[in-house]
Amino acid sequence: MLLLSSLTALLGLSALAPIGSAARAKSCPVTGGTTDDSKAILAAVTACNNLAGGGSVVLDGTYTIASPLDLRNLKSVDLVITGTITFNGVVSNWAGKLFDLNFQNAQAYWLIGGQDVNIIGQGKGTININGKSFQGETKRPVGLAISGLTGGSVTGLNFKNPGFWYNWIAFSKNVVYDNININGSGANTDGWDIYNSDHITITNSVVVNGDDCISFKPNSTNIFVSQLSCTGSHGVSVGSLGQYPGIYDVVQNVYVKDVTCTNCQHGARIKVWPGAGAGATSGGLSGGGGSGLVKNVTFDGFTVKGGDQDALLVTACYGQSKVDVCTANPSTFKIQDVFFKGITGDVKGKNQAVGSIICPSATSCSNINVSGLGVTSQSGKYNNQLVCDNIDITKILAPATCHA
Ligand SMILES: *[C@@H]1O[C@H](CO)[C@@H](O)[C@H](O)[C@H]1NC(C)=O
Ligand SMILES: *[C@@H]1O[C@H](CO)[C@@H](O)[C@H](O)[C@H]1NC(C)=O
Ligand SMILES: *[C@@H]1O[C@H](CO)[C@@H](O)[C@H](O)[C@H]1NC(C)=O
Ligand SMILES: *[C@@H]1O[C@H](CO)[C@@H](O)[C@H](O)[C@H]1NC(C)=O
């Protein structure tokens, strides 16, 4: 991106050429400043959609969105958001109008999808989710919902004032997020939730939030993450998975590289619900009983600073505080080929270890490999110590050690 932008400046081009797409032939500016600019935005997007040379919708002012905006079925469109979009954050304004994302309690103010779509913020664009008043509601809107997008990018955008997750991406393929700045905490403020999507990349981004920095939800495949700074989060998580009985969840081919997690509750994490509900709950959700596969997941170069509980965690007892309930209802998930490489830093070591890998049965996990661990605990007593169960400890390489 840096190279692209300096090249663009050199050539004196007005619009930054987005990743993977040519400059667009037509420009469709939007004048904002009313109490609801959603009609004006829709009109400009419609005028710039599906043109032979593509279109560029220019949002360089200040805009309010107070009505649902369905921007699926876009083709060859850039949304150049160098101004600020603020959502009307009044809960009653949106009663019965939010899009239902049909997963957990996620809803959306707007939906973006189609083919060859870039959302370009150039580091200046801001999405003010204005979601504070939704905190405490059951159904809450995400900041940016991408649904059914094939080929595209989201770059240089700032997000603030969440009420729920910041970014949702579902039923999408070949989408890149780069240079995203997320800032604002609160309950369930995941940075990204990826669901039923393939070939998604997230790079060079900074997240200050209050829940997972990124969550690879069911059916996330071929995901690449690098150069991510997370502060105050719950870490980078595979899952939670297995929440819904009868549903098979897959997370496969995930590579997470060069993450710094400062004051995070957890670091690199795989979380699976138990094999049956039996009262398991988390964040107002209940669950357990689903099955699935976690395969080929690598965390490579992950630094935890001031970590609260652990630097790495594999659990199949998510949402259930009673271990004996999980033992009686073991998850049927298969967890295979997981590499924790070069996890370093320090944690408080609350649970008498710097991490834990607890598999539900002797046959559920295979090839869980820890190498180059370098994590100290505050007291110095639990340096590089992991709690392990039902794994092949020959793949836990020194200096890491396992105890029960
Ligand atoms: C987040 O926002 C706060 C103020 O709201 C600011 O002090 C802080 O520098 C911001 N952090 C990042 C990483 O942008
Ligand atoms: C994930 O994909 C499988 C097919 O591999 C499908 O059966 C399942 O319903 C999907 N899960 C979700 C949560 O969509
Ligand atoms: C594992 O996942 C990574 C990242 O997506 C991919 O590059 C690699 O080819 C996968 N390995 C196998 C054996 O599938
Ligand atoms: C564990 O992974 C490391 C690096 O990824 C590799 O060099 C090593 O051979 C693996 N160890 C085992 C026992 O599989």
Side-chain angles (χ1 to χ4, degrees), residues 253-336:
N253 300 343
V254 174
Y255 207 100
V256 178
K257 190 169 168 48
D258 298 334
V259 174
T260 303
C261 222
T262 306
N263 299 329
C264 294
Q265 196 177 83
H266 305 278
R269 188 157 68 137
I270 297 176
K271 45 179 178 171
V272 173
W273 292 81
T281 58
S282 170
L285 300 167
S286 58
S291 63
L293 175 69
V294 175
K295 190 175 169 71
N296 185 26
V297 174
T298 302
F299 293 95
D300 177 3
F302 201 110
T303 305
V304 288
K305 296 181 187 166
D308 187 21
Q309 297 183 21
D310 39 66
L312 64 94
L313 180 74
V314 176
T315 178
C317 194
Y318 184 70
Q320 176 56 264
S321 54
K322 298 185 191 110
V323 173
D324 56 325
V325 176
C326 290
T327 311
N329 304 282
S331 165
T332 58
F333 260 77
K334 296 286 183 208
I335 302 176
Q336 302 169 348

Side-chain angles (χ1 to χ4, degrees), residues 30 37 45 67 79 101 146 167 256 301 309 342-343 346 369 387-388:
V30 187
D37 299 314
V45 171
S67 311
L79 303 176
L101 300 177
I146 305 283
N167 284 284
V256 178
Q309 297 183 21
I343 314 276
D346 58 84
N369 178 324
V387 175
C388 306

Side-chain angles (χ1 to χ4, degrees), residues 46-121:
T46 305
C48 255
N49 192 18
N50 202 5
L51 304 175
S56 185
V57 177
V58 179
L59 295 139
D60 54 0
T62 56
Y63 308 89
T64 301
I65 295 180
S67 311
L69 204 42
D70 189 346
L71 305 179
R72 286 172 290 181
N73 303 313
L74 302 187
K75 191 159 182 216
S76 306
V77 175
D78 293 345
L79 303 176
V80 183
I81 307 174
T82 51
T84 297
I85 291 179
T86 302
F87 289 93
N88 173 310
V90 180
V91 174
S92 60
N93 175 71
W94 294 94
K97 291 188 192 162
L98 293 167
F99 296 101
D100 196 335
L101 300 177
N102 298 310
F103 184 72
Q104 296 183 338
N105 289 316
Q107 310 252 298
Y109 296 124
W110 59 339
L111 286 177
I112 296 173
Q115 204 184 318
D116 180 19
V117 177
N118 303 290
I119 305 175
I120 303 165

